[in-house]
Amino acid sequence: MSKLVKDKVMPLKKAVGAYVHDGCHMAIGGFTINRNPMAAVYTIIRAGIKDLHLYVHSNGQGVDELIGAGSVSKVEIAYGGSGKFAATCIRFRKAIEKGTLQVEDYSNYQMTLRFLAGAMGVPFLPTRSSLGSDIVDKWGFSENLRRSDPKLPNRKLTVLDNPFEDWGNTEKVVLVPAITPDVTLLHVQQADRAGNCRMDGLSFADVEQAKASRHLVVTCEELMEGDALHENAHHNQIPFIHVDAVVHVPFGAYPTACYQHYDYDPVYLKAYAVAARDDEKYKDYLDTYVYGVADHQALIERIGTERMESIKADPRTGYAANLDRR
Amino acid sequence: MEYTLREMMTVVAAREIKNDDIVFCGTGISMLAAMAAKSINAPDCVIFFETGAIDAALEEIPMAVADSRVMYHTASSGGLLDAFATMQNPTTGQKVIGILGAAQIDIFGNLNSTVIGDYFSPKTRFSGSGGGCDVASFVPRSMIFMQHEKRKFVKTLDYLTSPGHLDGPDGRRKAGLPAGGPELVITNMAVMRFDDTTKEMYLDGVYPGIEPEAVLEQMQFSVDISRAREVMPPSADELNILRDKCDPQRLIL
């Protein structure tokens, strides 16, 4: 389907089926415990998709659930953590310590620049970040892997003398390679049927991730009818020309937060962290909350109105003021 | 007034923050220190996060730098590109003070937040750099929170995630980094600073009731303790602000 089509609304299963495949290179948006595309993540897990090559900067819940369910074989990442709930993502950590996950470590800014390079159509962008560190010296992906996958650059990164000599008071730069995922998944507050997107609060690196990608699937809290988003268009961050599928999924970031709509669910995230530490309990978690529900709406129903009410965003602050987060 | 070591650490950090600082915060105790500074000694300092929030009104303590609480009432809500550009901006970047934490630190203030053991088959995996390496690379001044334990103050890092002074006085320049690096390390026992000439860590202050030698026992490398003085404990006012205003739910304290 052309990205210029004006109505891209479809069910989530159909969007995931069309754009996410075994072994594909995928990026997800959000940051640690906020605006992860969780409905899409759970749909991927339920579909049994395997061997994903995942790109993220600082992700928490989304990354950990995809890894925990065995959907990911390789990840390029800056940070895997869920704030106070899991200082290091627990299944992510287990997978690396067991050697079942291949990892390439970058910094947040480097990952963001890599997505931007992909969006710009340049092979790399420069930074000074990480000079002198092991991020430069230690490469997680083998030369063989890099050679065998035409979607991967031949090097993790390259340090170069400033070709403009001392211009910019800089002697050396680190060049980080562009990322062009097969598909990126984002959750936003508002989208229209064509795929114009409006995010409230912080956009993290979602815009760069969106524009770097060959395909883009957007889930949204609110599906805006007609040309409503053409009003005050300066509040839109992603125009429809980048978008392949629009899916209306209220609470689509749950159990992570969605600014102005709902907070993260401390009860869910704490229980998840307990389950994730133990293989048997984790299996039960997946059986109950992921495989045991038909779709995201069914998960929200299982959680129940009382809990969902407790994380409802206060209209003044955009989060659930005085939520018990202990 | 009785106080905990975490409260002491937070107040020591808050006192370092000046009114015209732009304070870069990570997750945890650093946010609490910045919130405390705004209430105690630096009301005009600006708190900012790598997620892109500048000057948020922190009415409640965020649990992560992407917590919706950092999005409320900001001067600007951007993204990661904006945030890291702010740190490198030739004008505003000079005002940024970074606050970092890590699993390991060496005598030059280099940090490891990636792995314990061999990188390729780690004994323990941590979250990874996040923005830590970026902040440590770019900002002119930073302070570091550490638990004072022998396994954390190491002769050689298992992985160098965030550059401090690298291998000494000329380390950052040789590597191609801008000038800067860590200024102090705040632990649950003491405050360490870095010698102007050698860029090696030295003991600057100990908390009341702690002997300088006891601090050395918790480190794999030796540092100069001759300059150590006693650090002033938190006042009743500072403690009240910390407990009642900044963290009433005791999420960090």
Side-chain angles (χ1 to χ4, degrees):
Chain A
M1 191 167 77
S2 161
K3 286 176 188 278
L4 303 191
V5 165
K6 288 293 173 73
D7 190 344
K8 298 163 188 158
V9 174
M10 63 180 83
L12 187 50
K13 258 189 181 168
K14 188 179 168 197
V16 166
Y19 297 107
V20 185
H21 308 289
D22 286 359
C24 83
H25 286 221
M26 183 176 98
I28 58 171
F31 195 114
T32 60
I33 51 171
N34 212 313
R35 227 161 30 68
N36 283 217
M38 294 308 297
V41 162
Y42 291 134
T43 304
I44 289 167
I45 296 171
R46 279 185 214 112
I49 294 167
K50 301 279 182 229
D51 194 29
L52 292 171
H53 186 114
L54 189 62
Y55 301 97
V56 284
H57 45 96
S58 279
N59 201 277
Q61 198 61 18
V63 156
D64 207 48
E65 300 229 27
L66 284 169
I67 291 170
S71 300
V72 181
S73 58
K74 297 171 203 85
V75 64
E76 302 190 32
I77 191 166
Y79 184 91
S82 296
K84 283 278 286 174
F85 301 102
T88 301
C89 281
I90 297 159
R91 302 308 297 188
F92 162 83
R93 170 180 173 163
K94 276 181 189 279
I96 297 174
E97 290 172 5
K98 270 200 283 185
T100 56
L101 178 71
Q102 296 191 65
V103 192
E104 197 71 280
D105 278 293
Y106 289 93
S107 73
N108 262 348
Y109 185 51
Q110 289 178 330
M111 287 305 289
T112 310
L113 288 176
R114 296 184 64 204
F115 287 117
L116 180 64
M120 293 165 71
V122 294
F124 54 79
L125 280 170
T127 175
R128 296 174 83 179
S129 183
S130 84
L131 284 164
S133 81
D134 280 332
I135 292 175
V136 171
D137 291 335
K138 295 194 172 155
W139 296 14
F141 292 172
S142 68
E143 235 180 274
N144 265 348
L145 170 65
R146 291 186 170 280
R147 260 202 305 265
S148 68
D149 187 343
K151 291 178 187 171
L152 290 182
N154 61 342
R155 302 175 62 80
K156 179 183 181 184
L157 43 71
T158 295
V159 176
L160 193 76
D161 287 336
N162 182 354
F164 293 88
E165 295 172 1
D166 62 353
W167 179 244
N169 295 320
T170 299
E171 285 175 34
K172 290 179 191 173
V173 288
V174 181
L175 308 181
V176 291
I179 296 172
T180 46
D182 296 313
V183 58
T184 290
L185 307 165
L186 299 182
H187 183 72
V188 303
Q189 278 86 353
Q190 296 179 328
D192 63 20
R193 301 184 80 89
N196 294 305
C197 296
R198 185 171 295 185
M199 287 177 261
D200 268 339
L202 303 177
S203 52
F204 309 128
D206 281 14
V207 179
E208 292 74 27
Q209 289 181 270
K211 295 180 180 179
S213 192
R214 294 182 181 90
H215 295 292
L216 176 59
V217 174
V218 172
T219 58
C220 61
E221 284 301 317
E222 294 178 73
L223 182 63
M224 309 300 284
E225 290 301 336
D227 60 358
L229 289 186
H230 286 262
E231 296 287 324
N232 298 310
H234 54 283
H235 292 307
N236 302 343
Q237 295 92 343
I238 301 168
F240 75 101
I241 58 170
H242 300 281
V243 179
D244 292 271
V246 177
V247 187
H248 184 209
V249 193
F251 305 108
Y254 180 88
T256 71
C258 186
Y259 187 60
Q260 290 294 358
H261 289 265
Y262 45 90
D263 221 316
Y264 44 83
D265 182 356
V267 179
Y268 193 106
L269 295 176
K270 261 197 302 200
Y272 175 89
V274 171
R277 279 188 190 92
D278 178 285
D279 290 352
E280 279 304 303
K281 281 186 192 153
Y282 194 65
K283 219 176 137 292
D284 291 345
Y285 161 78
L286 285 173
D287 285 342
T288 308
Y289 291 97
V290 185
Y291 301 121
V293 290
D295 57 20
H296 208 62
Q297 198 49 45
L299 172 65
I300 302 303
E301 279 163 26
R302 174 157 295 187
I303 298 305
T305 45
E306 197 183 324
R307 281 255 297 282
M308 295 311 291
E309 197 57 35
S310 75
I311 60 167
K312 197 174 159 198
D314 162 56
R316 182 179 70 89
T317 58
Y319 54 82
N322 300 314
L323 173 67
D324 185 350
R325 295 179 289 145
R326 285 167 293 185
Chain B
M1 228 167 134
E2 291 285 305
Y3 58 91
T4 66
L5 290 170
R6 263 181 108 67
E7 288 170 335
M8 179 84 184
M9 291 169 81
T10 311
V11 168
V12 167
R15 288 174 187 156
E16 292 291 324
I17 296 169
K18 295 177 189 65
N19 218 14
D20 62 349
D21 282 342
I22 299 174
V23 188
F24 170 87
C25 287
T27 296
I29 197 168
S30 70
M31 290 183 187
L32 192 55
M35 282 175 81
K38 273 196 86 75
S39 292
I40 299 169
N41 47 290
D44 297 331
C45 75
V46 171
I47 300 176
F48 108 103
F49 297 95
E50 70 192 74
T51 43
I54 295 181
D55 205 23
L58 295 180
E59 293 185 359
E60 296 184 12
I61 193 141
M63 294 271 230
V65 297
D67 193 311
S68 295
R69 284 155 191 77
V70 310
M71 301 185 192
Y72 170 58
H73 209 269
T74 56
S76 164
S77 289
L80 276 68
L81 274 182
D82 301 315
F84 292 116
T86 297
M87 282 175 226
Q88 299 168 82
N89 180 285
T91 310
T92 53
Q94 290 305 306
K95 293 189 174 298
V96 177
I97 177 163
I99 314 184
L100 300 163
Q104 289 181 329
I105 186 168
D106 70 12
I107 197 165
F108 294 113
N110 302 303
L111 302 176
N112 172 13
S113 50
T114 305
V115 293
I116 298 293
D118 178 39
Y119 177 66
F120 298 97
S121 57
K123 191 165 145 276
T124 309
R125 169 73 199 203
F126 299 113
S127 56
S129 162
C133 172
D134 305 312
V135 177
S137 295
F138 298 142
V139 306
R141 302 191 288 147
S142 55
M143 53 177 146
I144 299 161
F145 279 114
M146 294 293 297
Q147 285 295 310
H148 224 128
E149 294 172 35
K150 205 160 195 159
R151 63 190 179 122
K152 292 178 182 262
F153 282 75
V154 297
K155 280 197 174 122
T156 310
L157 299 175
D158 290 7
Y159 184 99
L160 198 167
T161 313
S162 304
H165 298 291
L166 291 173
D167 60 356
D170 209 24
R172 290 179 69 91
R173 196 196 59 76
K174 277 187 302 189
L177 290 173
E183 260 185 17
L184 75 161
V185 183
I186 298 165
T187 80
N188 50 323
M189 298 179 89
V191 176
M192 334 279 284
R193 289 184 193 270
F194 294 88
D195 186 85
D196 285 342
T197 313
T198 65
K199 296 293 176 194
E200 285 189 4
M201 197 183 287
Y202 68 89
L203 187 63
D204 177 62
V206 286
Y207 299 164
I210 292 172
E211 293 299 324
E213 290 75 14
V215 176
L216 283 183
E217 277 169 26
Q218 297 303 321
M219 301 168 76
Q220 285 181 26
F221 53 86
S222 187
V223 297
D224 174 19
I225 59 171
S226 67
R227 288 174 261 184
R229 59 190 168 89
E230 191 175 281
V231 181
M232 194 171 60
S235 70
D237 271 359
E238 286 169 330
L239 285 171
N240 288 337
I241 288 171
L242 208 54
R243 291 169 187 172
D244 301 340
K245 195 170 169 187
C246 300
D247 191 12
Q249 281 194 20
R250 302 290 188 271
L251 296 171
I252 309 287
L253 283 176

